[in-house]
Amino acid sequence: MSEPKAPTPAPGDTYKGWLFKWTNYIKGYQRRWFVLSNGLLSYYRTQAEMGHTCRGTINLATANIAVEDSCNFVISNGGTQTYHLKASSEVERQRWITALELAKAKAFRMQAESDDSGDDSTSPGAGQGAGSRNSEVQSTLRTLGSKVEDLSTCNDLIAKHGSALQRSLSELEGVRLGGETSEKIRQVTERATLFRITSNAMINACRDFLALAQAHSKRWQKALQAEREQRVRLEETLEQLAKQHNHLERAFRGATVLPPSQSNPAIDSKGPVPGKGDVSDEDEENEFFDACEDVQEFITVPADPKYHRRSGSNVSGISSELGMDDGTTSLDEQSLASSPESPQSQEVVPVRKRRSRIPDKPNYSLNLWSIMKNCIGKELSKIPMPVNFNEPLSMLQRLSEDLEYYELLDRGAKCQSSLEQMCYVAAFTVSSYSTTVHRTGKPFNPLLGETFELDRMQESGYRSLCEQVSHHPPAAAHHAISERGWTLRQEIALASKFRGKYLSIMPLGSIHCIFEKSNNHYTWKKVTTTVHNIIVGKLWIDQSGEIDVVNHRTGDRCHLKFAPYSYFSRDVARKVTGVVTDKNGKAHYVLSGTWDEKMECSRVMQSSRGGENGADGRQKTVYQTLKAKELWRKTPLPEGAENMYYFSTLALTLNEPEEGIAPTDSRRRPDQRLMEQGRWEEANAEKQRLEEKQRTTRREREREANRTANPAEEAEEVEIASEPSETTYKTDTDETSSDLSLSTETLHGSYPPAYSMEGPYGAPVKSGHHDNYKSMWFEQQVDPMTGEPTHIYRGGYWEAKEQGDWDSCPNIF
């Protein structure tokens, strides 16, 4: 834990650092990031929240600061807000006390100055803290007003003196003098005229500025006042909610079956007096009562200590009580704390050293108009999107990144209990989203027949193969097998909806995970990915929705809920919760965490109804659980990742050149390689060439399929089309055939009326043109578990690689 060691700040400086804040008797002291600025003390859960979510603010102008002991101190504004804080050391506490006292004195002076000025712009209902917050803005407005008055005075003086000068010169011109003197007078008159013209221009400019400044000043004041009033209303609402939370929490603790003597041992031994639980009106980490709209569906509380005493030695007894098979291994602390590395990985095996860096991303500016002006009148599929929006990986490589935390499946394969195994599978499903939090670049769309192999048999004991098996709709098949007893396969097609400010991406298709030893077969689907600020602002990504992981052999189920981000939510961002139940619906484990950081699980000892009513009016289930154990934690990004597209350690190696791979492998794709090397202009040209080549190949394939399927109909089409043009395919200049034929370029971008049938996952398929394409390494079957048509690996790839025989592979690049 690193604490800021900055010297004592001067009045007006911003002071930041970590402090421990008292929340409640369940959580005790929690570490929070505090910021002292402009007489306000605000706090956040993490430094990353400073840009969007403030958990609380207290105005120091009317606050009392009291020191309790060497490390503890209290800040209160008279009853509505009270912060019980604790520093890491006495020295750090003294730094904070000094900074707070200085900020309080300055805030008090600023409030007094604001009151003396007689400015009534702030309404009485704005609260005691509004004067301090507005003092700096009011001072700026007063300064601007004085400058405007000075400018107006100068305006009057210039006009006055300019007129006097002109009158004097006119009088001087009427005096009869010698010729040379008259000439000089005329010169002075001309110069005076120029001065008058210039002065008039300046006067007009000043007058325009004056009117503009006055108009904007009024508008700013109105907007500022509206923001102040809205902030006050929000603060009052949050205070009411916090009081309700505190009241409900105390009522819940009073209604629980746990006796008072069985208090939470996590409370600090030097914790606060009993009254602190009542004065803390906001419990930002309350697991029991969530203030946001999308509340969680259950409540967890610490289990009775009798379960803790038995959890260490009588593991099998607990398993028996929960209805598990005799002899199964419990998901206890020892199994969860074990190293993710298996014994095989500890053997000394010479492995290839993978790269840890790629060329830094160039800082090329993108002119959107230069793209849009070339797209006017073109069909959607013919608009060449530049690589500026991409990252130098294909969608097949992104799909292979799901295996970044393969060790979760390795550990799941060792479990004897299907319920424990379900916890690891659920954590694996969440971990696949951890790489997306900063990855706003779009991966390259794979060409039809493009493949990607990820052979990590020596390092990690698994190998993976992806292939683009369909182009309409786009779909990729993936198959991975591990020598440690598991197989993963999936076929994913993407559907997207543009909703103005954001883009929703909905993966279609199921993911299958099969464990050889137990024959447990798990399936689940992916959640919706949302890309925000598509038009204006900084792009950011969120995951939301629900996942049901089902074990088809035993009937076990894990329901995971990805909470969508909400500015008004008091909960942690990117939160994921879940419950593992058996076939009878009995809960055995509770999962919690975030999809970008970690996942934990807690064994359920007892469950009952009686918690807070949910959104549908039903009572929540209260789970008494053992101490949470960590299942998965995200590996930190490599150094300099922000300059390398925020790639993870695995992602940096995916496009590394390798010998012996198939000629259709994504590593051999030229436009992707050029982009990685920073040669974006060449990459754009190469990308356009590949897309045009794919269109040409598809046209030829469709013609051949139509001739084979309907030779008589093909001859009739040629005879009809011979009148308006020489081909049945519409070109950019063929306006007469628009009603008689379909453009294959249109088929590439959107689905015209020719798409009347439904294909896999409800996606439209063509009925006007036939395509006889068959994938190389996968074949389409009906999945026996889900009933969905899917592509399953048919074999032969790794054998072809060993023999170096790639003659059957198409030349797609």
Side-chain angles (χ1 to χ4, degrees):
M1 183 183 309
S2 62
E3 302 291 344
K5 301 301 182 183
T8 300
D13 288 350
T14 299
Y15 194 52
K16 305 176 183 179
W18 291 103
L19 289 173
F20 291 90
K21 179 182 177 296
W22 173 260
T23 57
N24 56 36
Y25 283 102
I26 302 299
K27 293 294 183 181
Y29 279 103
Q30 296 293 322
R31 191 166 178 256
R32 296 290 178 260
W33 180 255
F34 280 77
V35 177
L36 173 61
S37 179
N38 294 328
L40 300 176
L41 180 65
S42 307
Y43 73 94
Y44 312 82
R45 274 212 185 98
T46 62
Q47 294 173 263
E49 283 190 348
M50 290 179 61
H52 52 83
T53 306
C54 177
R55 301 290 172 175
T57 300
I58 190 168
N59 181 20
L60 296 179
T62 58
N64 296 321
I65 305 172
V67 178
E68 288 191 339
D69 55 24
S70 60
C71 295
N72 293 55
F73 58 101
V74 180
I75 303 175
S76 175
N77 65 355
T80 59
Q81 288 178 299
T82 302
Y83 294 170
H84 293 266
L85 307 176
K86 182 168 65 174
S88 60
S89 63
E90 185 174 0
V91 175
E92 186 62 21
R93 186 219 64 186
Q94 189 57 44
R95 285 199 183 110
W96 274 102
I97 292 296
T98 304
L100 291 168
E101 292 290 352
L102 292 173
K104 177 183 176 180
K106 182 179 179 182
F108 184 79
R109 289 196 304 269
M110 292 173 66
Q111 186 178 22
E113 293 173 0
S114 177
D115 294 339
D116 294 339
S117 66
D119 185 10
D120 298 329
S121 62
T122 303
S123 62
Q128 296 179 349
S132 176
R133 288 192 297 270
N134 301 337
S135 59
E136 184 176 353
V137 177
Q138 296 298 334
S139 176
T140 303
L141 290 176
R142 286 195 298 270
T143 303
L144 180 59
S146 65
K147 296 299 182 183
V148 170
E149 291 178 0
D150 294 342
L151 191 59
S152 179
T153 303
C154 292
N155 180 14
D156 297 336
L157 290 175
I158 290 176
K160 177 181 178 181
H161 292 303
S163 300
L165 177 60
Q166 191 64 36
R167 285 196 305 270
S168 299
L169 292 175
S170 299
E171 294 173 356
L172 183 61
E173 189 175 9
V175 179
R176 296 181 177 275
L177 297 174
E180 184 179 354
T181 305
S182 299
E183 181 64 25
K184 291 182 180 181
I185 290 175
R186 279 195 300 272
Q187 292 177 0
V188 173
T189 303
E190 291 175 358
R191 292 174 184 175
T193 303
L194 292 175
F195 170 77
R196 179 176 57 82
I197 295 173
T198 305
S199 299
N200 288 337
M202 190 191 71
I203 290 171
N204 292 334
C206 292
R207 186 181 298 111
D208 294 339
F209 169 76
L210 179 62
L212 186 63
Q214 290 175 343
H216 279 284
S217 176
K218 294 178 181 178
R219 190 178 301 115
W220 292 336
Q221 287 180 348
K222 291 180 180 178
L224 185 60
Q225 182 65 21
E227 291 293 332
R228 290 196 199 105
E229 294 172 355
Q230 185 179 8
R231 180 184 177 91
V232 170
R233 288 194 297 269
L234 288 174
E235 288 177 350
E236 292 174 352
T237 304
L238 289 176
E239 286 180 8
Q240 293 176 1
L241 290 174
K243 291 177 181 178
Q244 294 176 6
H245 287 187
N246 192 35
H247 173 72
L248 291 172
E249 181 188 4
R250 292 198 300 271
F252 177 78
R253 287 203 302 269
T256 185
V257 297
L258 297 180
S261 60
Q262 298 169 356
S263 59
N264 185 11
I267 297 180
D268 198 318
S269 60
K270 301 173 66 174
V273 294
K276 288 187 180 178
D278 298 334
V279 298
S280 180
D281 288 331
E282 29 75 295
D283 176 16
E284 71 285 1
E285 201 162 299
N286 193 343
E287 292 183 22
F288 308 104
F289 306 99
D290 197 340
C292 62
E293 294 181 11
D294 200 6
V295 297
Q296 62 185 72
E297 300 172 353
F298 56 86
I299 300 172
T300 59
V301 298
D304 194 298
K306 65 182 180 180
Y307 296 116
H308 288 275
R309 289 194 297 269
R310 297 172 56 189
S311 62
S313 57
N314 299 333
V315 171
S316 59
I318 295 176
S319 301
S320 301
E321 287 184 9
L322 295 175
M324 297 169 61
D325 298 336
D326 293 337
T328 58
T329 304
S330 172
L331 192 61
D332 57 7
E333 186 171 359
Q334 182 178 359
S335 64
L336 285 173
S338 61
S339 171
E341 296 186 2
S342 61
Q344 292 92 327
S345 64
Q346 297 176 358
E347 298 177 3
V348 179
V349 178
V351 296
R352 173 181 174 179
K353 182 175 177 59
R354 306 284 176 179
R355 69 181 184 181
S356 58
R357 287 198 61 84
I358 62 173
D360 288 352
K361 178 181 179 180
N363 187 20
Y364 290 150
S365 60
L366 179 62
N367 188 345
L368 290 177
W369 172 245
S370 65
I371 300 173
M372 299 302 297
K373 69 179 182 180
N374 295 326
C375 303
I376 299 175
K378 288 189 176 181
E379 297 186 21
L380 182 62
S381 66
K382 283 197 169 185
I383 298 176
M385 297 303 293
V387 299
N388 304 59
F389 298 104
N390 289 46
E391 62 180 17
L393 289 179
S394 74
M395 191 62 200
L396 303 180
Q397 292 166 318
R398 284 291 293 268
L399 198 60
S400 301
E401 284 190 67
D402 287 358
L403 297 170
E404 177 140 10
Y405 298 97
Y406 67 92
E407 64 270 9
L408 291 170
L409 298 181
D410 289 349
R411 282 190 276 174
K414 298 177 184 178
C415 293
Q416 298 180 7
S417 166
S418 62
L419 294 168
E420 297 174 29
Q421 195 174 72
M422 175 67 81
C423 293
Y424 285 110
V425 174
F428 176 78
T429 66
V430 176
S431 69
S432 63
Y433 297 99
S434 64
T435 60
T436 65
V437 62
H438 298 299
R439 301 272 291 277
T440 56
K442 185 182 79 70
F444 280 79
N445 291 328
L447 304 177
L448 187 61
E450 185 175 335
T451 62
F452 177 72
E453 68 163 70
L454 184 63
D455 192 351
R456 294 292 190 269
M457 191 62 73
Q458 287 188 348
E459 303 100 312
S460 308
Y462 72 87
R463 54 176 37 162
S464 157
L465 176 66
C466 293
E467 182 181 0
Q468 186 77 358
V469 295
S470 172
H471 201 61
H472 293 295
H478 180 209
H479 183 271
I481 187 169
S482 172
E483 61 181 7
R484 296 167 192 170
W486 55 265
T487 300
L488 185 76
R489 60 179 175 86
Q490 58 182 317
E491 179 180 346
I492 298 296
L494 298 179
S496 61
K497 291 184 179 180
F498 180 63
R499 305 180 186 272
K501 287 186 177 181
Y502 61 91
L503 175 71
S504 296
I505 302 171
M506 294 146 290
L508 308 175
S510 298
I511 306 173
H512 299 253
C513 183
I514 304 100
F515 292 94
E516 297 177 2
K517 183 178 179 180
S518 60
N519 203 30
N520 288 329
H521 189 139
Y522 299 87
T523 62
W524 66 91
K525 295 179 181 293
K526 289 182 175 288
V527 296
T528 300
T529 299
T530 306
V531 185
H532 294 269
N533 295 341
I534 293 292
I535 303 298
V536 178
K538 183 179 180 181
L539 292 175
W540 62 279
I541 293 177
D542 192 25
Q543 312 287 348
S544 60
E546 298 181 1
I547 294 178
D548 281 315
V549 185
V550 181
N551 185 340
H552 293 272
R553 188 183 73 84
T554 64
D556 301 338
R557 183 181 296 265
C558 178
H559 182 73
L560 293 171
K561 186 173 182 179
F562 289 65
Y565 175 80
S566 172
Y567 181 82
F568 296 101
S569 174
R570 297 165 62 108
D571 224 332
V572 62
R574 309 182 185 96
K575 185 175 183 179
V576 181
T577 56
V579 180
V580 176
T581 58
D582 58 21
K583 62 181 180 181
N584 299 319
K586 183 178 180 180
H588 291 266
Y589 292 99
V590 172
L591 305 180
S592 63
T594 58
W595 54 263
D596 67 327
E597 184 178 0
K598 66 176 181 178
M599 285 296 293
E600 297 177 338
C601 79
S602 305
R603 175 183 278 278
V604 176
M605 294 291 102
Q606 185 177 344
S607 63
S608 62
R609 292 278 181 177
E612 177 192 32
N613 289 341
D616 54 359
R618 295 182 300 177
Q619 285 186 322
K620 292 184 180 180
T621 303
V622 180
Y623 295 120
Q624 294 188 26
T625 62
L626 297 179
K627 183 180 179 182
K629 306 298 187 296
E630 187 174 280
L631 287 169
W632 160 77
R633 179 175 290 274
K634 179 184 177 181
T635 304
L637 294 177
E639 184 179 357
E642 65 277 4
N643 299 322
M644 299 184 293
Y645 308 90
Y646 287 97
F647 281 177
S648 63
T649 303
L650 174 64
L652 289 173
T653 67
L654 294 180
N655 206 42
E656 184 176 8
E658 291 190 14
E659 297 293 334
I661 57 176
T664 55
D665 197 278
S666 299
R667 299 176 182 89
R668 299 185 183 274
R669 182 164 175 165
D671 54 348
Q672 187 173 301
R673 180 66 59 190
L674 289 169
M675 181 190 176
E676 181 184 279
Q677 296 171 354
R679 299 155 62 183
W680 286 15
E681 292 186 3
E682 299 174 57
N684 281 322
E686 193 65 24
K687 181 173 179 289
Q688 193 168 357
R689 181 190 68 82
L690 290 174
E691 290 171 351
E692 186 58 36
K693 180 179 180 181
Q694 181 173 234
R695 294 189 191 103
T696 303
T697 303
R698 188 181 67 254
R699 294 191 195 105
E700 293 296 330
R701 192 167 57 246
E702 289 173 350
R703 289 194 187 102
E704 181 64 27
N706 284 330
R707 280 196 295 267
T708 304
N710 302 306
E713 183 179 336
E714 177 72 16
E716 184 178 351
E717 281 187 11
V718 172
E719 182 178 354
I720 294 175
S722 61
E723 295 181 4
S725 63
E726 296 181 357
T727 174
T728 60
Y729 289 94
K730 174 187 171 185
T731 62
D732 291 340
T733 58
D734 186 7
E735 299 294 336
T736 60
S737 61
S738 59
D739 296 330
L740 301 177
S741 63
L742 289 172
S743 167
T744 56
E745 287 78 13
T746 302
L747 298 180
H748 178 73
S750 57
Y751 300 118
Y755 284 85
S756 58
M757 301 171 58
E758 284 195 353
Y761 325 118
V765 297
K766 293 182 294 182
S767 61
H769 292 286
H770 301 282
D771 192 339
N772 59 357
Y773 177 79
K774 292 183 179 180
S775 59
M776 279 287 299
W777 312 109
F778 291 80
E779 60 180 352
Q780 190 171 25
Q781 303 177 8
V782 176
D783 188 90
M785 288 293 179
T786 63
E788 299 174 346
T790 184
H791 283 79
I792 298 178
Y793 178 60
R794 67 173 56 158
Y797 179 87
W798 303 107
E799 293 78 6
K801 181 180 179 181
E802 290 179 1
Q803 300 173 6
D805 183 11
W806 304 114
D807 293 340
S808 58
C809 293
N811 180 19
I812 61 175
F813 299 141

